[in-house]
């Protein structure tokens, strides 16, 4: 193994830059559907709940596809699923642009763009980043995950401009072509397999316990299930502002363009949150960072209930991004803290699947609640209830971790104590 192929080495950072670029490009599939929602709803004469279906199917596809892509990455390396995802994204955008009905549009979004396309540009990339870093694993995973939010910052204004100038169908064709010519060369930078991590050194005083057969004193699958339920809860809550802020602003009379700006601001602040959370993870561990983000997310959701002026919505959207951006990357770090490296792609895919199912459920449920009540107030309350479930589960896991002495104390931990 050459000097630049070691964990945290020069090759690792070059690879991380490629991962961020791919996540930013491939993440278009998650956010273009949000910007297009009011236009698709108007063209097909759908209700708000019906118009949320393409987003819901995209998230369902993204979630289930993440497991498949994770398994492919574990077996063949991350380049294979990324190449496959690039082709599927392009095909999906072309077919979505030609969709004769809302159902056809939703299927193109859900199957090709979500399940077989964008899913390759998230979970597998986070897992791959975790395999190339030890001392800086938290910040590396956070940076890889930031590509998804960078996509949410960059793509909405681009899509809004394209849709305003040429319509949503032409905009989809343009995005498909751009993804093909940019993602293919970046994918080829991922040919190299991750370096083999050295054996774990004898445990130092104050260092975390090595990966155990029964993490936190429970069966591995039980812990995975609990993380999945927690991920479902926090992301049902997260979906409410992210999916419906554009439509919410249109309903309030501020216009779609203002809502798109708020979405971009929210996700730009989410990038900052993910980077800062990555630094925090390297100091206090994944579970504690996850709990902090979940509590702060609940606070931001509460603000939406009481303030709806234009200025306040910009401010709250920025706060929401700053508070919740580090939540999803924390799950990937938790998996690497408590499970073997050889299971990283699959288990990260499973847990992230649950978070994406939460986004899908939250996006759809918020639209249905709006149709029932004519207001988003109850939808915000619904999100806060799901968020509370997440807080309870993560608090209990953190308590068990501290009781078992399995919290990560990175400041006291020598580099050799990090292992696969």
């Amino acid at each position: 193994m050459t000097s630049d192929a070691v964990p945290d080495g020069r090759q690792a950072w070059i690879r991380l830059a490629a991962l961020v670029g791919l996540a930013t490009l491939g993440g278009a599939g998650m956010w273009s559907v949000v910007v297009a929602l009011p236009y698709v709803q108007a063209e097909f004469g759908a209700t708000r709940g019906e118009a949320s279906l393409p987003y819901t199917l995209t998230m369902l596809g993204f979630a289930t596809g993440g497991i498949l892509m994770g398994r492919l990455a574990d077996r063949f390396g991350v380049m294979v699923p990324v190449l496959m995802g690039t082709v599927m994204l392009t095909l999906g955008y072309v077919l979505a642009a030609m969709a004769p009905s809302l159902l056809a549009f939703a299927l193109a979004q859900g199957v090709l763009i979500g399940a077989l396309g964008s899913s390759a540009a998230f979970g597998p990339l986070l897992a791959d980043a975790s395999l190339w870093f030890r001392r800086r694993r938290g910040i590396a995973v956070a940076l890889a995950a930031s590509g998804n939010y960078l996509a949410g910052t960059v793509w909405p204004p681009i899509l809004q401009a394209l849709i305003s100038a040429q319509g949503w169908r032409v905009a989809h064709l343009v995005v498909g072509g751009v993804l093909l010519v940019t993602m293919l060369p970046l994918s080829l930078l991922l040919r190299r397999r991750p370096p083999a991590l050295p054996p774990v050194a004898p445990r130092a005083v104050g260092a975390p316990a090595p990966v155990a057969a029964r993490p936190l004193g429970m069966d591995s699958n039980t812990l995975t299930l609990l993380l999945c339920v927690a991920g479902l809860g926090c992301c049902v809550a997260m979906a409410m502002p992210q999916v419906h802020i554009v439509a919410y602003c249109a309903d309030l009379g501020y216009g779609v363009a203002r809502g798109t700006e708020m979405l971009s601001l929210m996700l730009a602040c989410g990038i900052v949150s993910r980077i800062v959370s990555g630094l925090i993870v390297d100091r206090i561990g994944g579970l504690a960072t996850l709990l902090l983000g979940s509590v702060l997310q609940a606070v931001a959701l509460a603000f939406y209930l009481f303030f709806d002026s234009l200025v306040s919505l910009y401010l709250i959207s920025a706060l929401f991004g700053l508070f919740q951006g580090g939540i999803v990357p924390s799950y990937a770090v938790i998996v690497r803290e408590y499970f073997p490296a050889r299971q990283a792609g699959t288990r990260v895919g499973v847990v992230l699947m649950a978070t994406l199912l939460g986004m899908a459920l939250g996006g759809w449920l918020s639209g249905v609640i709006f149709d029932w009540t004519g207001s988003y107030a109850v939808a915000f309350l619904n999100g806060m209830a799901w968020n509370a479930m997440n807080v309870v589960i993560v608090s209990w896991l953190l308590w068990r971790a501290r009781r078992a002495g399995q919290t990560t104390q990175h400041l006291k931990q020598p580099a050799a104590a990090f292992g696969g």
Side-chain angles (χ1 to χ4, degrees), residues 210-254:
V211 172
R214 292 181 59 81
L216 304 185
M218 64 184 74
D219 179 77
S220 295
N221 290 334
T222 301
L223 177 56
T224 302
L225 177 61
L226 286 171
L227 291 173
C228 287
V229 175
L232 182 76
C234 69
C235 288
V236 168
M238 191 183 299
M240 171 59 239
Q242 287 188 1
V243 178
H244 289 274
I245 189 66
V246 176
Y248 184 41
C249 285
D251 292 340
L252 291 173
Y254 300 134

Side-chain angles (χ1 to χ4, degrees), residues 81-129:
V82 173
L83 284 173
M84 175 181 172
T86 299
V87 175
M88 292 299 104
L89 272 171
T90 301
L91 181 60
Y93 271 101
V94 170
L95 292 181
M98 300 168 61
S101 66
L102 178 62
L103 179 60
F105 178 81
L107 289 175
Q109 278 284 155
V111 178
L112 295 174
I113 295 177
L116 301 176
S118 288
S119 64
F122 191 56
L125 305 187
L126 271 63
D128 188 71

Side-chain angles (χ1 to χ4, degrees), residues 19-262:
L19 296 178
V20 173
L22 285 165
T24 302
L25 292 165
M30 288 185 64
W31 305 111
S32 62
V33 66
V34 177
V35 178
L37 187 153
Y39 301 98
V40 172
Q41 178 183 2
E43 177 163 335
F44 294 119
T47 66
R48 184 65 50 80
E50 291 169 345
S52 299
L53 178 63
Y55 176 84
T56 299
L57 291 184
T58 300
M59 291 299 100
L60 289 174
F62 196 107
T64 54
I67 298 178
L68 170 64
M69 296 302 177
R71 291 182 68 86
L72 287 174
D74 283 342
R75 184 167 182 178
F76 301 109
V78 73
M79 186 182 73
V80 171
V82 173
L83 284 173
M84 175 181 172
T86 299
V87 175
M88 292 299 104
L89 272 171
T90 301
L91 181 60
Y93 271 101
V94 170
L95 292 181
M98 300 168 61
S101 66
L102 178 62
L103 179 60
F105 178 81
L107 289 175
Q109 278 284 155
V111 178
L112 295 174
I113 295 177
L116 301 176
S118 288
S119 64
F122 191 56
L125 305 187
L126 271 63
D128 188 71
S130 76
L131 297 175
W132 282 79
F133 291 85
R134 290 183 303 170
R135 292 187 302 273
R136 302 299 181 190
R137 180 177 293 157
I139 188 62
V141 172
L143 286 169
S146 294
N148 178 262
Y149 271 13
L150 186 56
T153 304
V154 171
W155 284 109
I158 293 175
L159 263 294
Q160 180 62 44
L162 284 172
I163 291 173
S164 297
Q166 301 293 334
W168 67 267
R169 294 183 183 273
V170 173
H172 277 66
L173 289 174
V174 171
V175 172
V178 169
L179 294 181
L180 183 66
V181 299
T182 54
M183 291 182 69
L184 282 179
L186 279 177
S187 302
L188 299 178
L189 296 178
L190 307 180
R191 292 192 301 271
R192 198 168 196 167
R193 298 301 291 267
L197 295 178
V200 179
R203 189 181 176 195
V205 175
V211 172
R214 292 181 59 81
L216 304 185
M218 64 184 74
D219 179 77
S220 295
N221 290 334
T222 301
L223 177 56
T224 302
L225 177 61
L226 286 171
L227 291 173
C228 287
V229 175
L232 182 76
C234 69
C235 288
V236 168
M238 191 183 299
M240 171 59 239
Q242 287 188 1
V243 178
H244 289 274
I245 189 66
V246 176
Y248 184 41
C249 285
D251 292 340
L252 291 173
Y254 300 134
V256 171
R258 301 288 82 76
T260 301
E261 291 171 358
M262 289 178 199

